[in-house]
């Protein structure tokens, strides 16, 4: 884990809701695993106070990118940064996705849950896995790449309907060894139920409001089934990736 | 370079900066050598493990943070077994923060910790707003604070720091009783009661509805509490409440604090304590004054 202030290398606006933020740092990129995140903040801005957790979107040699959705004041301020201005980063943080090799793998994401997937896909393919990737969004505005199976609620891009419908059809027609998911909780819950019925392991990347990002404050806990009891686990450093069947959904 | 060494109770600090309980732990040891701090303060430990409150536990508001963690901790035995050996590796003072639901439980905890090496002081947390039947219930009654402090004074020779809540009418009454009962120092302030509501759903944002409020927004409130108490007692004050940089820290020291702790701002900049140490030292050099002379040097007349 490192705490750094780095000049912004790239700010690329995808549309009114999303942008890509890039920095260059060899020390960081060497340590990043798929599913890791960073606590990111505009150091010049005192309000909002806390940094925001962003999954690592892409790693290319010494360059590191985040896909960010503009949700509130913090992300809006970050979107207004220019190249050369400093951003503050703490990371890499979290456990990351457990990787496999030589398997048939399915990735499923929804909305900004797309963020950790391209780097995960790259590493899985590098390890000799066969990867199928489904992504869902409300509209074409929430689609980031046309080389995956895209689904939109309003049919403005790719298949019409929820990503879960298309994943289910795919699981019924094709053997899959493992599923990785990131997106809205109802989506990940549905996928977990689907996978449980078919005895397919699924790993989900959870999201919670965080303060420290390192496990010190215990602010971001979720309920996890452990042995015969239910315990609190910290999304920031016990996760953000959890085994889907162990998550207490709707808690 | 002026070294801002201080004595706090029976401890000698290499500089007057520590961290506020529950905001900073061994997790940060990756980032810098924690021995650089004047002291380390642990998360509050209770006699038995505590799972903490139901989420949602934190909400950010304008210039502050609402929390209702509920003292999640592994319990005293597990702390002694797992965390304490890790803390011993750092060459600085260790303040163990403790909370319990009766005076007897407090004494039992102190007796167990007394025999452990590497514990320099106790912060008696009688001011946490986020747990029932312990915490703040003790810290709001001057007579109870006197009785608890007296009993703990008999139970230990180590530095005894009573952590005060601002959620009372007369904080000086409580501070005076703690001093009269033998406390070596005071830590102040703990969080203020606070609340936030989600307008769309009309639901409280915290599961526990009301929580503890911290961060830059509370600094003026903390500062006036420290100033008032510093006028009323002669034991040292460890001040906390919205400190983000060395100027914030200096305000508290000038108002009467002997040392300062950073809480919420560790989440924003985990290296800010180091910047604050340097800033205080630089201030003493610039003004050619000893740190000791800075404490309580506020000019209120003329």
């Amino acid at each position: 884990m490192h705490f750094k202030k780095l000049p912004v290398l790239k700010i690329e606006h995808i549309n009114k809701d999303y942008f890509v933020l890039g920095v260059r740092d060899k020390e960081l990129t060497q340590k990043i695993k798929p599913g890791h995140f960073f606590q990111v903040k505009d150091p010049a801005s005192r309000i909002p106070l806390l940094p925001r957790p962003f999954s690592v979107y892409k790693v290319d040699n010494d360059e590191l990118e985040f896909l960010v959705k503009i949700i509130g004041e913090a992300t809006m301020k970050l979107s207004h940064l220019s190249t050369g201005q400093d951003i503050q980063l703490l990371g890499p943080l979290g456990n990351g996705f457990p990787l496999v090799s030589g398997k048939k793998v399915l990735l499923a994401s929804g909305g900004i849950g797309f963020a950790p997937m391209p780097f995960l896909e790259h590493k899985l393919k590098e390890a000799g896995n066969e990867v199928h990737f489904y992504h869902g969004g409300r509209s074409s505005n929430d689609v980031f790449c046309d080389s995956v199976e895209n689904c939109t609620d309003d049919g403005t891009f790719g298949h019409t309907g929820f990503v879960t419908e298309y994943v289910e059809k795919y699981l019924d027609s094709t053997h899959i060894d493992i599923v990785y998911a990131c997106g809205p909780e109802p989506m990940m819950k549905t996928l977990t139920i689907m996978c449980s019925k078919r005895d397919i392991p699924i790993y989900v990347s959870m999201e919670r409001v965080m303060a420290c990002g390192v496990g010190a404050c215990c602010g971001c806990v979720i309920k996890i089934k452990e042995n015969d009891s239910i315990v609190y686990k910290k999304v920031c450093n016990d996760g953000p990736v959890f085994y889907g069947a162990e998550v207490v959904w709707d808690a | 370079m002026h070294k801002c060494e201080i004595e706090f109770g029976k401890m000698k600090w290499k500089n007057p900066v520590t961290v506020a309980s529950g905001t900073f732990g061994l997790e940060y040891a990756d980032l810098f050598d924690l021995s650089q701090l004047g002291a380390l303060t642990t998360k509050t430990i209770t006699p038995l493990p505590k799972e903490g409150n139901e989420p949602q536990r934190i909400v950010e508001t304008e210039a502050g943070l609402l929390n209702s963690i509920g003292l999640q901790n592994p319990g005293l035995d597990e702390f002694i077994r797992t965390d304490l050996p890790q803390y011993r590796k750092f060459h600085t003072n260790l303040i163990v923060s403790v909370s319990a639901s009766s005076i007897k439980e407090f004494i039992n905890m102190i007796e167990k910790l007394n025999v452990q090496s590497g514990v320099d002081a106790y912060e008696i947390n009688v001011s946490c707003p986020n747990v029932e039947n312990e915490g703040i219930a003790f810290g709001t009654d001057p007579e109870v604070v006197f009785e608890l402090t007296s009993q703990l004074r008999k139970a230990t020779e180590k530095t005894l720091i009573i952590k005060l809540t601002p959620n009372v009418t007369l904080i000086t009454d409580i501070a005076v009783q703690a001093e009269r009962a033998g406390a070596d120092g005071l830590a102040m302030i703990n969080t203020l009661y606070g609340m936030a509501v989600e307008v769309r759903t009309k639901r409280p944002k915290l599961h526990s509805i009301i929580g503890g409020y911290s961060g830059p927004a509370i600094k003026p409130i903390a500062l006036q509490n420290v100033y008032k108490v510093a006028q009323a007692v002669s034991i040292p004050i460890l001040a906390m409440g919205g400190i983000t940089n060395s100027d914030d820290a200096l305000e508290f020291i000038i108002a009467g604090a002997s040392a300062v702790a950073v809480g919420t701002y560790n989440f924003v900049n985990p290296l800010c304590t180091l910047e604050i140490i340097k800033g205080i030292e630089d201030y003493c050099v610039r003004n050619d004054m000893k740190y000791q002379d800075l404490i309580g040097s506020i000019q209120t007349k003329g």
Side-chain angles (χ1 to χ4, degrees):
Chain A
M1 162 169 87
H2 300 270
F3 180 74
K4 295 196 178 198
K5 282 179 187 164
L6 297 171
V8 172
L9 183 69
K10 172 183 182 182
I11 287 268
E12 186 181 295
H13 293 270
I14 296 174
N15 54 43
K16 68 177 177 49
D17 291 336
Y18 297 93
F19 66 99
V20 173
L21 173 68
V23 294
R24 175 178 286 143
D25 188 280
K26 198 169 186 177
E27 193 176 28
L28 294 182
T29 52
Q30 282 174 343
K31 293 181 178 170
I32 298 168
K33 290 195 333 189
H36 275 163
F37 70 95
F38 281 76
Q39 289 279 73
V40 181
K41 184 174 166 54
D42 169 7
S45 158
R46 299 251 310 171
I47 295 175
L49 185 63
L50 298 174
R52 296 291 184 266
F54 299 139
S55 292
V56 174
Y57 177 48
K58 284 179 185 166
V59 176
D60 186 8
N61 292 315
D62 58 351
E63 290 180 16
L64 156 65
E65 288 182 3
F66 304 99
L67 174 68
V68 182
K69 183 175 187 180
I70 301 169
I71 291 172
E73 206 177 333
T75 43
M76 178 62 80
K77 282 184 173 170
L78 284 172
S79 77
H80 289 152
L81 288 175
S82 306
T83 53
Q85 283 185 277
D86 275 354
I87 60 159
Q88 171 188 310
L89 298 126
L90 177 70
L93 303 169
N95 57 354
F97 288 103
L99 296 178
V100 291
S101 57
K103 302 283 186 192
K104 287 192 167 185
V105 176
L106 191 140
L107 306 186
S109 60
I112 187 60
F114 186 81
M117 292 307 189
F119 185 42
L120 175 63
E121 181 186 30
H122 172 75
K123 285 289 178 189
L124 286 169
K125 283 182 172 168
E126 209 174 56
N129 296 284
E130 188 183 319
V131 182
H132 301 267
F133 188 170
Y134 282 85
H135 173 72
R138 286 196 180 138
S139 71
S140 57
N141 204 36
D142 303 302
V143 172
F144 310 99
C145 146
D146 55 15
S147 64
V148 305
E149 295 273 4
N150 284 294
C151 321
T152 51
D153 300 356
D154 66 0
T156 49
F157 197 93
H159 306 292
T160 304
F162 289 165
V163 70
T164 46
E165 297 166 30
Y166 293 92
V167 167
E168 185 154 43
K169 282 181 200 160
Y170 191 78
L171 291 178
D172 284 338
S173 64
T174 314
H175 170 79
I176 285 291
D177 294 307
I178 186 166
V179 175
Y180 298 91
C182 185
E185 268 181 43
M187 179 199 107
M188 294 197 289
K189 178 186 173 185
T190 304
L191 291 171
T192 299
I193 293 167
M194 275 178 205
C195 288
S196 296
K197 282 181 187 161
R198 294 165 176 82
D199 280 332
I200 302 169
I202 175 169
Y203 288 94
V204 294
S205 182
M206 303 295 287
E207 189 179 20
R208 281 294 179 277
V209 174
M210 281 180 195
C212 70
V214 301
C217 73
C218 304
C220 63
V221 295
I222 57 167
K223 288 179 181 174
I224 292 289
K225 295 171 214 158
E226 192 175 76
N227 302 320
D228 289 331
S229 55
I230 290 171
V231 297
Y232 287 128
K233 294 274 185 184
K234 299 168 197 169
V235 169
C236 68
N237 76 338
D238 295 317
V241 178
F242 293 91
Y243 191 56
E246 289 174 354
V247 174
V248 180
W249 299 101
D250 307 321
Chain B
M1 174 64 72
H2 283 237
K3 288 295 170 200
C4 300
E5 293 162 353
I6 54 153
E7 288 184 10
F8 197 105
K10 296 159 187 88
M11 294 180 282
K12 280 193 167 55
W13 292 29
K14 66 188 88 168
N15 63 64
V17 179
T18 184
V19 287
S21 176
T23 65
F24 191 97
L26 297 162
E27 297 84 3
Y28 288 105
D30 251 14
L31 223 50
F32 69 97
D33 178 7
L34 307 188
S35 305
Q36 293 179 76
L37 298 173
L40 282 167
T41 309
T42 70
K43 188 165 179 58
T44 295
I45 307 298
T46 52
L48 296 173
K50 221 172 179 53
E51 66 177 7
N53 291 336
E54 284 262 341
Q56 176 100 10
R57 290 179 175 185
I58 50 170
V59 174
E60 183 175 350
T61 73
E62 203 80 353
L65 180 67
L66 272 172
N67 90 79
S68 125
I69 307 297
L71 297 184
Q72 179 177 335
N73 80 94
L76 182 60
D77 292 344
E78 184 61 20
F79 168 78
I80 289 171
R81 197 164 36 243
T82 310
D83 291 354
L84 189 53
Q86 302 296 315
Y87 276 112
R88 279 195 196 108
K89 292 178 185 168
F90 301 105
H91 303 289
T92 186
N93 297 291
L94 181 65
I95 304 170
V96 180
S97 178
V98 294
S99 184
S101 52
S102 70
I103 291 179
K104 192 165 178 291
E105 273 188 5
F106 266 113
I107 292 170
N108 287 343
M109 289 185 85
I110 297 304
E111 285 175 345
K112 269 192 184 178
L113 284 162
N114 274 341
V115 296
Q116 303 296 325
S117 65
V119 177
D120 300 288
Y122 304 113
E123 178 187 86
I124 309 303
N125 183 358
V126 287
S127 49
C128 176
N130 290 322
V131 285
E132 290 175 8
N133 304 322
E134 59 190 89
I136 203 162
F138 281 93
T140 53
D141 184 332
E143 283 179 29
V144 174
V145 168
F146 178 83
E147 181 60 22
L148 173 65
T149 309
S150 303
Q151 299 271 352
L152 293 177
R153 182 71 288 163
K154 286 179 212 154
T156 188
E157 291 183 349
K158 291 184 182 177
T159 299
L160 193 58
I161 303 166
I162 309 296
K163 186 165 185 178
L164 304 183
T165 173
N167 298 318
V168 291
T169 310
L170 288 169
I171 196 168
T172 49
D173 282 1
I174 295 166
V176 165
Q177 292 309 313
E179 180 182 38
R180 203 166 69 82
D184 294 301
L186 303 169
M188 57 186 293
I189 57 172
N190 208 320
T191 53
L192 292 142
Y193 280 127
M195 179 175 169
V197 176
E198 177 63 60
V199 173
R200 189 177 56 82
T201 58
K202 298 177 182 168
R203 295 188 63 81
K205 289 186 178 176
L206 287 175
H207 184 273
S208 60
I209 305 174
I210 289 166
Y213 192 43
S214 63
I218 74 163
K219 195 186 79 179
I221 301 163
L223 198 56
Q224 62 88 20
N225 274 290
V226 167
Y227 171 70
K228 274 193 310 197
V229 169
Q231 307 301 307
V233 301
S234 49
I235 51 177
I237 296 170
L238 169 58
M240 61 201 76
I243 295 174
T244 69
N245 57 35
S246 57
D247 274 2
D248 291 338
L250 286 161
E251 283 194 60
F252 280 96
I253 295 158
I254 291 165
S258 294
V260 293
V262 178
T264 302
Y265 212 70
N266 288 313
F267 307 150
V268 182
N269 175 1
L271 303 182
C272 69
T273 44
L274 302 182
E275 294 168 15
I276 290 169
I277 293 165
K278 185 170 184 312
I280 295 171
E281 288 174 354
D282 287 351
Y283 182 91
C284 289
V285 171
R286 257 196 333 270
N287 292 282
D288 192 25
M289 67 190 299
K290 289 181 185 159
Y291 178 72
Q292 203 61 40
D293 296 335
L294 192 60
I295 298 169
S297 60
I298 190 156
Q299 305 295 312
T300 56
K301 295 189 178 74

